[in-house]
């Protein structure tokens, strides 16, 4: 055996040019058919009757109300879930307490529960015949089929997003910096604002962007708790379905183009934040492949 042969590495799967080209062709085909084609169809059909018709479809009162309701829901749900995610991540990674692993599991429940099931569960809790229904009716408080129910359902499905991004990162960073700041006399708030927040800002923004995108695109849970009342409780995804069922395909595609644009903007922001150090791709190797919060060790 020659020296060259003894140092030659064994061939790896996929080294053959034919295999690489075939694999790339298959991936590009699926991307084109499953992702690019639907987005292209939305754009083409949205302006199929011209820009004036597209503008009129967006300016239609029910569509404008759906857009405003969607934005309002995001303005309420996203900040609350952001605060919850920061608090949960801080408590889990910086403190030891009984039930810590249970809390980690509970945070991930919305990922494993169907949004429609979550919506039905809210009906059984806050609906007229639900657990708190009689008390809410006596107090003249309406939760279901109104803005509060839509916000609650949206908060449920997006609750883990910020915490999921922060917990592995803060776990990897440890507690040394916070303990050093505290030992020097810094208060809890000052420690958070001057030590913790600068180290998690990109991951925090990453989680907020994902949370906002999910809130605006939520359909299943909101469809159950909103009542689908045209011009009152229909968010943008529900309004798109309503337009399509009314055989107003162009109007439906015009409204859908708003969500498609949001998806593209979210993707761009996501890439920018990943370049700044956010997202799982840029975490330490020990945590990069850990997609489950429950794997964080106490």
């Amino acid at each position: 055996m020659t020296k060259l042969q003894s140092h030659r590495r064994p061939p790896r799967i996929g080294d053959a040019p034919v295999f690489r080209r075939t694999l790339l062709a298959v991936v590009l085909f699926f991307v084109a058919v499953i992702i690019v084609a639907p987005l292209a169809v939305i754009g083409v059909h949205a302006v199929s009757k011209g820009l004036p018709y597209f503008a009129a479809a967006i300016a239609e009162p029910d569509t404008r109300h759906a857009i405003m309701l969607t934005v309002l829901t995001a303005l309420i749900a996203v900040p609350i879930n952001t605060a919850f995610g920061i608090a949960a991540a801080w408590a889990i990674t910086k403190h030891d307490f009984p039930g810590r692993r249970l809390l980690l599991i509970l945070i991930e429940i919305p990922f494993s529960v169907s949004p429609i099931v979550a919506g039905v569960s809210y009906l059984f809790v806050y609906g007229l015949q639900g657990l708190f229904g009689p008390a809410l009716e006596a107090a003249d408080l309406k939760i279901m089929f109104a803005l509060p129910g839509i916000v609650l359902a949206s908060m449920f499905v997006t609750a883990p997003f910020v915490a999921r991004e922060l917990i592995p990162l803060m776990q990897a960073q440890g507690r040394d910096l916070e303990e050093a700041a505290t030992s020097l006399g810094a208060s809890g708030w000052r420690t958070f604002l001057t030590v913790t927040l600068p180290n998690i800002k990109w991951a925090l923004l990453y989680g907020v962007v994902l949370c906002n995108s999910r809130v605006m695109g939520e359909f299943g849970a909101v469809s159950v708790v909103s009542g689908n009342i045209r011009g009152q409780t229909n968010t943008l995804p529900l309004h798109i379905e309503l337009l399509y069922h009314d055989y107003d395909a162009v109007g439906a595609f015009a409204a859908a183009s708003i969500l498609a644009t949001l998806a593209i903007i979210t993707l761009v922001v996501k890439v920018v934040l990943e370049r700044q150090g956010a997202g799982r791709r840029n975490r330490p190797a020990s945590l990069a492949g850990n997609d489950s919060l429950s794997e964080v060790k106490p």
Side-chain angles (χ1 to χ4, degrees):
M1 181 180 295
T2 64
K3 184 177 181 181
L4 179 62
Q5 290 176 330
S6 63
H7 287 82
R8 182 178 298 172
R9 293 184 304 172
R12 297 177 300 175
I13 297 177
D15 275 348
V18 174
F19 182 87
R20 290 202 305 270
R21 292 168 187 166
T22 303
L23 183 63
L24 180 60
V26 171
V27 172
L28 291 177
F29 173 78
F30 275 92
V31 169
V33 171
I34 298 176
I35 300 176
V36 177
L39 290 176
V41 167
I42 291 174
V44 170
H45 281 274
V47 297
S48 60
K49 292 187 177 181
L51 292 179
Y53 190 92
F54 172 83
I58 297 297
E60 198 269 334
D62 288 344
T63 301
R64 285 191 287 108
H65 184 275
I67 295 172
M68 294 302 297
L69 182 59
T70 303
V71 172
L72 179 60
T73 301
L75 289 176
I76 298 173
V78 173
I80 294 176
N81 274 346
T82 300
F84 164 75
I86 294 173
W90 179 280
I92 290 171
T93 59
K94 308 301 181 182
H95 301 279
D96 295 318
F97 54 91
R100 185 164 170 265
R101 292 184 63 83
L102 177 60
L103 178 58
L104 288 166
I105 295 172
L106 291 176
I107 290 174
E108 280 204 330
I109 284 180
F111 281 137
S112 58
V113 175
S114 168
I116 294 180
V117 173
V120 173
S121 300
Y122 274 107
L123 283 179
F124 283 119
V125 176
Y126 300 106
L128 187 60
Q129 305 299 324
L131 181 63
F132 300 127
L136 291 171
E137 185 181 18
D140 196 23
L141 295 176
K142 190 174 183 180
I143 302 297
M144 295 295 98
F145 312 130
L147 177 62
I150 296 173
V151 172
L152 285 173
S154 300
M155 287 173 56
F156 177 88
V157 298
T158 59
F161 279 89
V162 174
R164 190 179 175 88
E165 295 302 320
L166 293 181
I167 290 176
L169 176 62
M170 294 174 70
Q171 179 75 14
Q173 291 175 349
R175 310 176 186 179
D176 294 343
L177 293 178
E178 285 80 8
E179 290 175 353
T182 302
S183 66
L184 293 174
S187 63
W189 276 111
R190 185 173 182 182
T191 299
F192 172 76
L193 293 175
T194 60
V195 178
T196 304
L197 186 59
N199 289 329
I200 65 171
K201 60 182 179 180
W202 297 118
L204 176 61
L205 288 174
Y206 188 86
V208 169
V209 168
L210 296 180
C211 180
N212 180 73
S213 178
R214 185 72 170 86
V215 167
M216 289 192 169
E218 174 54 30
F219 180 87
V222 173
S223 68
V224 177
V225 303
S226 69
N228 294 335
I229 304 173
R230 185 193 294 265
Q232 296 184 35
T233 62
N234 265 356
T235 58
L236 191 54
L238 301 181
H239 185 64
I240 293 170
E241 183 194 37
L242 187 63
L243 290 174
Y244 190 78
H245 287 167
D246 289 344
Y247 302 101
D248 185 4
V250 176
F253 280 112
S257 67
I258 298 176
L259 290 180
T261 302
L262 173 66
I264 294 173
I265 293 174
T266 300
L267 180 62
V268 172
V269 174
K270 177 176 176 289
V271 172
V272 172
L273 291 176
E274 284 180 341
R275 290 177 180 271
Q276 296 293 335
R280 289 177 176 73
R281 184 169 74 116
N282 298 288
R283 290 178 185 162
S286 60
L287 293 173
N290 181 10
D291 282 338
S292 174
L293 296 180
S294 60
E295 292 297 324
V296 179
K297 297 181 180 179

